[in-house]
Amino acid sequence: MDKTKVWTFLRKNILLIFLVLALGIGIGLGAELRTLDPPMSTRSIMYLRFPGDILMNMLSFLIVPLIISSLVSGLASLDSTASGKMGLRAVIYYLTTTFAAVVLGIVLTVSIQPGRQGDSDESNNDTENENKVVNTADTFLDLIRQCFPANIMEMCFRKTVTEQVLRGEEPSTEDGSYTSPASMTTTTYTISSKNSSHKDKVYDPVLTKIDGPNVLGMVVFSILLGVILSKMEERGKPLIVVFETICEATMQLVKLAIWYSPIGIMCLIAANVVDMDDPAKTFQQLLYYFLTVMAGLFIHGVVTLPLIYFLFVRQNPFSYLYGVFEAIVTAIATASSSATMPVTMRCLVDNNGVDNRVVKFVIPVGATINMDGTALYEAVAVLFIGQMRGYEMDIGRIITISITATAAAIGAAGVPQAGLVTMVIVLSAVGFPTDDVALILAVDWLLDRFRTAVNVLGDAFGAGIVNHLSRRELKDIDNKHNMVFETEIDNTRCVDSDNDDRDDDVNADDDDEKRLLIDPKKNRSTCKTYTLEAHNGVMNDIS
């Protein structure tokens, strides 16, 4: 009996076991390869990373079809009232948990004072770095601009951003396309350093195209299309079925990619460990900063989020957390909440029994705007830099950091290292030099993985809470569809009542028809397809 239980456990959790082993083996392999003499060349590290790059490519190319198909099909299956309430609950949850993460980061940083402890070496500041100039207002306008892309095809691989170009210089873009800054306002920056006097430099904002999917535009487009299709009722059903089929097919591709993930994860971790310059010196200099961020992420992920889940759902949050542990491990390995999104969706539906309609809506939106770990990290990092520089952290600056970090985290893309870009916004808002970002780059690659795991965990708990709070609306929708389904079956019987043989066949299949009633925890595409066929007078189940 015991052997049977062990075998059942291993068979059920074999992929999770492989992922954990891949993490451990990757760290050990990387540490061992660091001892080679001579050390590994850049080419050798590239070859070591190659299987991991393939994994990232496999997950990344599924993002576009998954986001669009899941949002459209998920919202189209809801009525406007249910989708509105669900969206409001999700947004309130995102804002609340993100702000809570920022406050937690500020409290820990003010209490521990990591910037005034340890052996901080400021040699990084003596090197001249090319720093990207960022204007806070332009950055937030970019977010609004990306919500409404000019080209529906281009948004899948390119997005528009505002680049601050020094007057007299040309913007550096790969495709060379940019908007003339003649009609735009200019921005004056005062750049200060130890070895130079103050110089006023005038920058012109220039709209440029950069590579990378416009996730925000895809989310807005998909939400609007899904809501419109739900209002079209019968006329929109064929297109809804198409998007549901694409979503199901994409999830099948995700399952294939996930079985390759242990190999890719092992190589990614090993390559990152080998590529570190001097781990001992780095962690000695930034030890207290690293520990403060990790403590904040741990408290938020293991205490705050489970407590919020328990208060609303009244169920064991740690069993729920165990159900998405595979997604957390994938987030640590890939450092991308967008790349982890397919795994998160599968875990929520298969392991935690969350309604598929809720998952299709909450997770794609959450992977775009819900960044609890990033918000906490930015708050700690900005305060850490201020403490190292000896700046006075008054209540005004702390409030500014709270608001700006929350807003910037919501606008952070779900890709690796996106937090560094948004951190420049927060530094500019409180008047800190943006070039001090270089102080924390040494450990950012590692912290990025853990804050991504907290981002994914926040999305997962959010889906569970929204699913619990929306259960009444979902049940009403199911009952409504059941009534329509049964009415169509009765109409078909009335049409066929003159033919005794066909009438007997319909009655014989009565039990089979009733078994097709909608299960709220599963995809309803089969029932919808069957209803369309029944409406056309065909009583065969085509699933």
Side-chain angles (χ1 to χ4, degrees):
M1 186 65 180
D2 292 337
K3 290 183 178 180
T4 304
K5 289 183 179 180
V6 171
W7 175 249
T8 303
F9 174 82
L10 291 176
R11 186 173 57 181
K12 183 179 179 180
N13 299 278
I14 187 66
L15 182 58
L16 178 59
I17 295 172
F18 283 159
L19 289 173
V20 175
L21 288 175
L23 278 175
I25 295 173
I27 294 173
L29 178 62
E32 184 65 26
L33 291 175
R34 287 185 63 87
T35 62
L36 294 179
D37 190 18
M40 293 183 67
S41 63
T42 302
R43 182 179 297 275
S44 300
I45 296 176
M46 183 190 71
Y47 291 155
L48 177 62
R49 191 190 302 271
F50 179 75
D53 292 337
I54 296 299
L55 173 64
M56 293 298 297
N57 291 344
M58 292 170 67
L59 294 175
S60 297
F61 92 90
L62 295 173
I63 292 175
V64 173
L66 189 59
I67 288 178
I68 296 177
S69 63
S70 62
L71 275 175
V72 172
S73 60
L75 285 173
S77 63
L78 305 171
D79 57 33
S80 58
T81 303
S83 60
K85 290 182 178 179
M86 190 181 300
L88 180 61
R89 289 164 182 154
V91 170
I92 292 175
Y93 167 82
Y94 295 151
L95 292 176
T96 302
T97 55
T98 302
F99 188 73
V102 172
V103 171
L104 175 61
I106 291 175
V107 170
L108 288 175
T109 310
V110 172
S111 303
I112 300 174
Q113 298 284 318
R116 296 190 172 97
Q117 303 185 41
D119 180 18
S120 4
D121 185 3
E122 297 184 3
S123 59
N124 289 334
N125 301 323
D126 296 333
T127 60
E128 295 183 0
N129 299 313
E130 288 293 330
N131 298 292
K132 184 177 181 180
V133 178
V134 176
N135 181 277
T136 304
D138 290 344
T139 302
F140 284 113
L141 288 178
D142 284 342
L143 296 179
I144 300 175
R145 188 179 292 110
Q146 290 171 16
C147 289
F148 306 97
N151 191 312
I152 192 174
M153 298 301 295
E154 188 182 47
M155 75 176 179
C156 298
F157 58 88
R158 188 177 295 167
K159 55 187 174 183
T160 303
V161 297
T162 303
E163 180 181 349
Q164 304 298 329
V165 179
L166 185 63
R167 183 165 292 181
E169 294 183 359
E170 292 294 330
S172 56
T173 57
E174 294 182 2
D175 57 358
S177 62
Y178 62 95
T179 303
S180 172
S183 61
M184 298 185 180
T185 59
T186 60
T187 306
T188 303
Y189 293 91
T190 300
I191 309 298
S192 61
S193 65
K194 294 180 178 180
N195 301 323
S196 62
S197 58
H198 292 274
K199 299 179 181 178
D200 289 336
K201 296 184 179 181
V202 180
Y203 289 85
D204 292 315
V206 177
L207 296 182
T208 62
K209 303 285 187 179
I210 64 172
D211 291 333
N214 181 3
V215 179
L216 208 53
M218 286 188 283
V219 168
V220 172
F221 167 76
S222 302
I223 289 176
L224 294 176
L225 181 59
V227 172
I228 294 299
L229 287 176
S230 69
K231 291 181 178 293
M232 293 178 65
E233 297 180 349
E234 292 294 329
R235 289 180 299 163
K237 283 185 177 180
L239 191 55
I240 295 173
V241 172
V242 170
F243 279 107
E244 287 179 336
T245 306
I246 293 174
C247 184
E248 292 178 12
T250 305
M251 292 306 296
Q252 293 299 322
L253 292 174
V254 168
K255 291 181 179 179
L256 295 177
I258 291 305
W259 281 105
Y260 169 75
S261 61
I263 299 174
I265 286 172
M266 179 184 68
C267 295
L268 277 176
I269 297 296
N272 280 322
V273 172
V274 173
D275 208 24
M276 290 182 67
D277 292 333
D278 189 348
K281 183 179 179 181
T282 297
F283 284 111
Q284 182 182 0
Q285 294 173 353
L286 301 173
L287 176 62
Y288 286 95
Y289 164 71
F290 180 84
L291 292 178
T292 302
V293 176
M294 290 299 295
L297 294 176
F298 180 82
I299 293 173
H300 189 74
V302 180
V303 178
T304 305
L305 292 177
L307 181 60
I308 295 175
Y309 178 84
F310 176 76
L311 291 177
F312 282 96
V313 183
R314 297 293 179 179
Q315 294 180 2
N316 185 356
F318 296 104
S319 61
Y320 186 90
L321 191 152
Y322 176 75
V324 295
F325 193 71
E326 180 184 327
I328 296 173
V329 173
T330 305
I332 293 174
T334 61
S336 171
S337 53
S338 294
T340 311
M341 186 177 64
V343 187
T344 307
M345 296 175 72
R346 187 178 64 83
C347 290
L348 289 173
V349 176
D350 295 346
N351 300 341
N352 290 344
V354 180
D355 192 303
N356 200 23
R357 293 165 289 181
V358 176
V359 172
K360 286 180 178 181
F361 173 68
V362 173
I363 297 303
V365 175
T368 307
I369 67 174
N370 184 37
M371 300 288 176
D372 296 353
T374 302
L376 185 148
Y377 157 81
E378 288 175 353
V380 174
V382 172
L383 286 173
F384 170 75
I385 291 172
Q387 290 172 359
M388 286 192 64
R389 291 301 191 185
Y391 293 120
E392 181 183 354
M393 303 307 300
D394 54 23
I395 187 65
R397 273 180 167 167
I398 290 178
I399 293 176
T400 302
I401 290 173
S402 303
I403 298 174
T404 312
T406 302
I410 291 175
V415 297
Q417 308 283 322
L420 287 177
V421 179
T422 56
M423 190 188 302
V424 175
I425 299 174
V426 186
L427 288 170
S428 302
V430 293
F432 292 172
T434 57
D435 56 346
D436 282 345
V437 171
L439 294 172
I440 59 176
L441 285 179
V443 294
D444 182 75
W445 71 272
L446 184 57
L447 291 175
D448 189 27
R449 300 176 183 278
F450 290 101
R451 68 176 182 254
T452 301
V454 174
N455 293 341
V456 171
L457 188 59
D459 297 342
F461 275 120
I465 292 173
V466 173
N467 179 74
H468 179 76
L469 296 178
S470 305
R471 62 191 185 282
R472 185 173 301 173
E473 288 85 2
L474 294 172
K475 186 176 181 181
D476 291 341
I477 294 173
D478 294 336
N479 292 336
K480 179 181 177 181
H481 281 283
N482 290 346
M483 292 175 62
V484 173
F485 182 73
E486 292 173 351
T487 301
E488 291 182 351
I489 291 176
D490 292 339
N491 291 340
T492 304
R493 287 173 177 165
C494 292
V495 171
D496 294 341
S497 60
D498 294 336
N499 190 320
D500 293 335
D501 294 335
R502 294 178 63 185
D503 184 64
D504 291 340
D505 292 338
V506 171
N507 289 330
D509 291 338
D510 184 54
D511 293 336
D512 294 334
E513 293 162 8
K514 290 181 179 179
R515 280 196 292 269
L516 289 172
L517 297 180
I518 301 167
D519 182 351
K521 293 185 178 180
K522 294 183 179 180
N523 197 343
R524 295 166 39 251
S525 61
T526 303
C527 295
K528 287 185 178 182
T529 308
Y530 185 92
T531 303
L532 287 173
E533 295 294 328
H535 183 72
N536 293 327
V538 180
M539 295 306 299
N540 295 325
D541 182 3
I542 67 171
S543 61

